[in-house]
């Protein structure tokens, strides 16, 4: 019975996964560039959330400063492309590596600081980052805005199919997100993933069974920073700029955390779903308030309301799905499966 | 020397502001274990209410008192309606809920009161004394006095009354407190109400000293108040006050004396937190939670 259920779940999962992938591959061929860019945004949001989930979900270290690592990725890519003539694709590993290194540098002092105190120290990162760029980045007209040439947003020559920049960005983000999703999956199933969870659940007990506390926590920090850095690098392909004010490192850090929690903390797919939802809900509420199908007299000119709707939706969502979308889905699945069980004849599960 | 003292005075004035909001944050953390991200925006909203009341013709001091009462009721209602259903949830879920409140209050304030800056008059005469070349503003004096009275009243409430004892009992162990007949529900509402009223007072006193009331007024203050609370220890009211003052003074002195950090002065308060937390992970006045294995 359990074996059959698992096989059923695997088949259903594969079919659903392939269907979603097929839809995603088809999507940019049919949609307007603005919509494609929105979906690309949703994908790189999911990438950053996946990384934060490794740190917060699996390792229990709360960060509200990952917008800063996103910013590091975005500025690395934009500066290398604009000032040094790199191709955008080649900058992504550099952005990832730089974010990783800064992640290690932040992760080491974070070893001693725990819980809310750590959250507040990371908040400092997000708050300091825009000022740092203002002081050290010389972009358009001496401001901290770096704009990359529009030619750099086009796919490289060896790419077949004559893709538009928006389509290229979408496929690029999709490919990278799948690779990084695989990375999370491998980590979680492996030795390092079990170490992460052990440290989160009980530090003292984890050390007694031989987990290297410092190495595990710093590596978790650095890996999550790497994910955020990659997301930032991809954002340059979509927006064509790196700008700390536009990125809004503080808000972004909070939104990453929101994406992790509403998707499903410590689940493999949750953060991707959560990132998608955060981007889409915000977009939808903005559109709704700007052009409502009903209540139009009441809502006209009240665009400020959309964050309020988003905020209230967050609270409602947390009330009904405290363990996130994936957690809620799992509970639903379990309920369906257990309800079906009594219908089986007694002894059916005994192997012959 | 006068420059140094003037900067110290500036730092103290800002520090007192961070401390007032920090006190509200500590109060909620102490009673409910929640880090309330919405504290600043709740204060913002109630300051708008103060402004609205002065526009209706109330004298400023009366408007502040009335809006504090309204904030108390509002805070208690938020606890009852929004926070209570999450009583058993994980801390992370509660963080998301207060972030939701943060977004909602900020947007609602803009919706109800408009986006243009509002001028809120002072409740006291604006004076400026020169003592040995150092200027002393009535703003600074009033803010210090109010903070001192706040601390004294809070201390008296928590340490010298039955209600305070019940509040502390619920904070340290809600289940045991219930067994002893303390209504934890009432105490939690009381904690949120008090914090909201303190935030309202802080907002109403701060805004007249700035260029005006806008939807962004409280966010910078909240960040520094958080910094002060982290420095002093999340569970310590004294820590919030000392931490806030240190942050304010450090910021003012950096602006004056460290030109190399011009534009990135904000590094100093957060660097300071990091150094302090590395030496004392529970903050200056915080308590360590002992874990039994």
């Amino acid at each position: 019975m359990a074996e059959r259920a698992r096989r059923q779940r695997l088949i259903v999962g594969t079919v659903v996964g392939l269907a979603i992938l097929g839809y995603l591959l088809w999507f940019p061929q049919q949609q307007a560039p603005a919509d494609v860019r929105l979906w690309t945004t949703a994908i790189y949001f999911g990438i950053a959330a996946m990384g934060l989930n490794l740190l917060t979900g699996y390792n229990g270290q709360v960060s509200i400063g990952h917008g800063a690592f996103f910013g590091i990725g975005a500025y690395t890519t934009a500066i290398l492309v604009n000032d040094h003539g790199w191709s955008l694709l080649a900058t992504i590993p550099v952005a990832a590596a730089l974010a990783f290194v800064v992640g290690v540098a932040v992760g080491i002092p974070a070893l001693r600081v725990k819980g809310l105190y750590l959250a507040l120290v990371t908040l400092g990162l997000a708050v300091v980052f825009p000022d740092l760029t203002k002081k050290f980045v010389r972009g358009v007209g001496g401001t901290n805005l770096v704009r990359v040439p529009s030619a750099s947003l086009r796919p490289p020559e060896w790419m077949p199919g004559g893709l538009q920049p928006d389509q290229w960005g979408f496929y690029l983000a999709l490919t990278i997100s799948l690779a990084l999703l695989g990375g999370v999956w491998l980590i979680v199933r492996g030795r390092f993933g079990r170490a992460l969870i052990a440290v989160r659940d009980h530090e003292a007990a984890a050390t007694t069974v031989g987990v290297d506390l410092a190495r595990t926590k710093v590596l978790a920090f650095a890996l999550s920073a790497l994910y955020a850095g990659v997301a930032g690098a991809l954002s340059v392909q979509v927006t064509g700029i790196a700008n700390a004010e536009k990125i809004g490192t503080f808000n972004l850090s909070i939104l990453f955390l929101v994406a992790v929690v509403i998707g499903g903390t410590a689940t493999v797919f949750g953060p991707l779903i959560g990132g998608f939802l955060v981007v889409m809900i915000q977009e939808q509420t903005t559109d709704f308030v700007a052009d409502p199908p009903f209540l139009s007299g009441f809502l006209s000119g009240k665009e400020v309301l959309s964050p309020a709707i988003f905020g209230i939706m967050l609270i409602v969502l947390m009330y009904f799905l405290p363990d996130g979308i994936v957690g809620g889905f799992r509970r639903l699945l379990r309920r369906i499966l257990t309800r079906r069980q009594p219908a089986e004849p007694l002894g059916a599960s005994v192997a012959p | 020397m006068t420059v140094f003292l003037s900067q110290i005075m500036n730092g103290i004035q800002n520090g007192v502001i961070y401390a007032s909001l920090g006190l509200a944050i500590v109060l909620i953390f102490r009673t409910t274990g929640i880090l309330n991200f919405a504290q600043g925006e709740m204060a913002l909203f109630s300051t708008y209410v103060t402004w609205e009341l002065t526009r209706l013709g109330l004298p400023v001091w009366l408007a502040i008192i009335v809006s504090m009462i309204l904030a108390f009721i509002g805070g208690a209602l938020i606890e009852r309606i929004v926070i209570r259903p999450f009583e058993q949830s994980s801390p992370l879920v509660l963080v998301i809920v207060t972030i939701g409140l943060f977004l909602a209050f900020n947007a609602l304030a803009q919706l109800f009161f408009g986006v243009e800056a509002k001028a809120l008059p002072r409740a006291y005469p604006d004076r400026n004394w020169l003592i040995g070349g150092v200027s002393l503003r009535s703003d600074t004096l009033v803010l210090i006095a109010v903070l001192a009275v706040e601390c004294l009243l809070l201390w008296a409430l928590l340490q010298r009354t039955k209600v305070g004892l019940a509040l502390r009992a619920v904070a340290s162990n809600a289940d045991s407190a219930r067994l002893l007949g303390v209504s934890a529900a009432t105490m939690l509402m009381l904690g949120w109400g008090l914090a909201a009223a303190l935030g309202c007072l802080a907002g109403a006193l701060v805004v007249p000293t700035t260029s005006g009331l806008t939807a962004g007024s409280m966010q910078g203050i909240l960040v520094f108040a958080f910094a002060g609370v982290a420095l002093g220890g999340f569970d310590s009211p004294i820590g919030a006050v000392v931490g806030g003052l240190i942050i304010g003074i450090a910021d003012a002195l950096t602006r004056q004396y460290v030109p190399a950090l011009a534009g990135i002065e904000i590094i100093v308060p957060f660097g300071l937190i990091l150094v302090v937390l590395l030496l004392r992970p529970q903050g200056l006045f915080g308590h360590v939670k002992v874990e039994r294995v």
Side-chain angles (χ1 to χ4, degrees):
Chain A
M1 171 59 205
E3 186 58 37
R4 217 181 75 194
R6 195 177 308 139
R7 204 179 314 143
Q8 269 177 353
R9 226 178 304 162
L10 192 70
I11 293 169
V12 171
T14 315
V15 169
V16 171
L18 284 176
I20 291 176
L21 190 63
Y23 179 74
L24 286 175
L25 287 173
W26 166 84
F27 181 82
Q29 301 297 334
Q30 299 298 326
Q31 302 291 326
D35 286 331
V36 175
R37 278 195 289 270
L38 180 68
W39 279 57
T40 313
T41 307
I43 294 174
Y44 70 65
F45 232 85
I47 292 177
M50 273 198 287
L52 184 59
N53 184 39
L54 279 178
L55 182 72
T56 302
Y58 287 106
N59 197 220
Q61 305 189 69
V62 179
S63 162
I64 40 179
H66 268 51
F69 297 115
F70 183 96
I72 288 172
Y75 272 100
T76 307
T77 291
I79 290 171
L80 284 177
V81 168
N82 190 49
D83 300 358
H84 304 280
W86 287 44
S87 84
L88 198 139
L89 195 58
T91 66
I92 295 175
V94 182
L98 200 60
F100 184 88
V101 171
V102 179
V104 171
V106 178
I108 291 171
L111 283 174
R112 239 180 104 70
V113 186
K114 290 201 181 75
L116 287 176
Y117 293 96
L118 177 63
L120 267 287
V121 172
T122 56
L123 167 75
L125 282 180
V127 174
V128 169
F129 188 79
D131 285 351
L132 280 175
T133 61
K134 265 187 229 153
K135 194 166 169 78
F136 295 112
V137 175
R138 291 283 160 269
V140 180
T143 63
N144 63 346
L145 187 149
V146 181
R147 188 184 298 282
V148 299
S150 58
S152 66
L153 304 181
R154 283 205 280 274
E157 266 101 48
W158 48 264
M159 271 298 289
L163 291 172
Q164 292 301 309
D166 58 289
Q167 297 170 325
W168 157 241
F170 181 91
Y171 288 125
L172 181 65
L174 185 64
T175 313
I176 292 178
S177 74
L178 288 177
L180 292 177
L181 180 72
V184 169
W185 191 78
L186 285 176
I187 288 171
V188 170
R189 309 235 135 195
R191 196 184 164 80
F192 180 59
R194 286 195 296 274
L196 286 179
I197 294 168
V199 168
R200 173 194 69 190
D201 290 345
H202 208 300
E203 284 194 4
T207 40
T208 59
V209 293
V211 173
D212 184 339
L213 211 60
R215 211 182 120 250
T216 309
K217 289 176 104 173
V218 173
L219 197 54
F221 222 107
L223 276 174
S224 69
L226 180 145
Y227 275 64
V230 171
L234 287 170
S235 77
V236 175
Q237 208 286 334
V238 177
T239 58
I241 56 166
N243 179 239
E245 277 71 37
K246 192 101 169 95
I247 293 171
T249 39
F250 175 50
N251 268 329
L252 201 64
S253 306
I254 288 179
L255 288 179
F256 290 157
L257 194 63
V258 168
V260 171
V261 179
I262 67 173
T265 317
T267 62
V268 174
F269 291 98
L272 264 184
I273 299 170
F276 185 82
L277 278 178
V278 164
V279 172
M280 290 304 165
I281 293 176
Q282 283 195 312
E283 179 70 18
Q284 289 303 319
T285 52
T286 312
D287 286 356
F288 176 79
V289 176
D291 184 21
F294 51 92
L295 292 172
S296 52
F298 173 70
L299 285 174
S300 61
K302 290 175 180 162
E303 283 77 15
V304 291
L305 242 176
S306 69
I309 299 175
F310 180 62
I312 292 164
M313 278 181 80
L314 278 185
I315 298 173
V316 173
L317 207 61
M318 282 294 94
Y319 182 70
F320 288 108
L321 296 171
D323 42 2
I325 305 280
V326 169
F329 181 71
R330 274 192 196 148
R331 261 185 297 149
L332 185 75
L333 213 65
R334 206 173 304 136
R335 212 148 106 196
I336 296 170
L337 289 177
T338 46
R339 197 175 285 169
R340 223 170 44 186
Q341 233 161 0
E344 301 262 338
L346 262 171
S349 58
V350 178
Chain B
M1 192 63 195
T2 49
V3 175
F4 178 76
L5 286 177
S6 305
Q7 288 304 330
I8 295 272
M9 288 314 293
N10 280 344
I12 289 177
Q13 176 171 344
N14 285 333
V16 170
I17 293 167
Y18 308 147
S20 322
L21 196 61
L23 265 185
I25 294 167
V26 166
L27 197 62
I28 287 194
F29 185 80
R30 278 272 290 240
T31 45
T32 55
I34 296 171
L35 182 61
N36 186 10
F37 278 85
Q39 199 73 62
E41 302 314 292
M42 283 162 61
L44 177 81
F45 196 86
S46 44
T47 309
Y48 271 111
V49 173
T50 316
W51 172 80
E52 189 71 43
L53 290 171
T54 59
R55 231 175 41 134
L56 292 176
L58 256 62
V60 185
W61 60 270
L62 190 60
I64 293 178
I65 292 172
V66 173
S67 55
M68 276 177 75
I69 295 170
L70 292 176
F72 180 86
I73 298 169
L77 284 178
I78 288 172
E79 198 285 325
R80 183 68 195 82
I81 295 165
V82 183
I83 304 296
R84 186 74 56 82
F86 295 97
E87 209 174 5
Q88 308 295 332
S89 303
S90 78
L92 210 51
V93 166
L94 277 162
V95 166
I96 303 295
V97 170
T98 63
I99 288 171
L101 281 175
F102 172 102
L103 294 169
F105 269 116
N106 189 279
L108 290 177
Q110 292 182 50
L111 178 74
F112 291 149
F113 304 106
V115 285
E116 62 281 4
K118 308 277 186 287
L120 187 66
R122 286 175 171 80
Y124 48 87
D126 182 17
R127 292 271 169 71
N128 194 358
W129 297 278
L130 272 179
I131 302 169
V134 180
S135 99
L136 182 62
R137 302 188 63 89
S138 53
D139 288 337
T140 316
L141 289 181
V142 169
L143 283 167
I144 292 174
V146 168
L147 183 70
V149 172
E150 257 178 38
C151 290
L152 208 66
L153 286 179
L154 260 188
W155 176 82
L157 174 76
L158 287 173
Q159 306 292 337
R160 287 282 176 273
T161 63
K162 266 248 158 92
V163 177
L165 187 65
L167 265 171
R168 284 186 292 141
V170 170
S172 85
N173 191 334
D175 288 331
S176 305
R178 276 195 196 98
L179 287 175
L180 293 169
V182 175
S183 165
T186 314
M187 291 305 136
L188 295 179
M189 284 171 72
L190 191 63
W192 271 76
L194 279 175
L198 285 185
C200 172
L201 181 61
L205 290 178
V206 169
V207 166
T209 69
T210 64
S211 53
L213 179 61
T214 66
S217 284
M218 280 297 163
Q219 279 163 21
I221 297 176
L222 180 74
V223 166
F224 281 106
F226 271 157
V229 171
L231 194 63
F234 275 107
D235 55 355
S236 162
I238 301 167
V241 174
V242 176
L245 284 172
I246 293 177
I247 296 283
I249 292 171
D251 189 56
L253 290 182
T254 314
R255 277 169 206 281
Q256 180 67 36
Y257 292 108
V258 195
L261 292 179
I264 48 172
E265 296 92 350
I266 202 166
I267 278 189
V268 171
F270 282 98
L272 208 59
I273 302 180
L274 189 61
V275 171
V276 168
L277 291 183
L278 286 179
L279 299 174
R280 267 183 77 83
Q282 71 276 29
L284 289 174
F285 297 90
H287 299 280
V288 194
K289 267 203 179 133
V290 179
E291 191 177 6
R292 290 203 191 108
V293 182

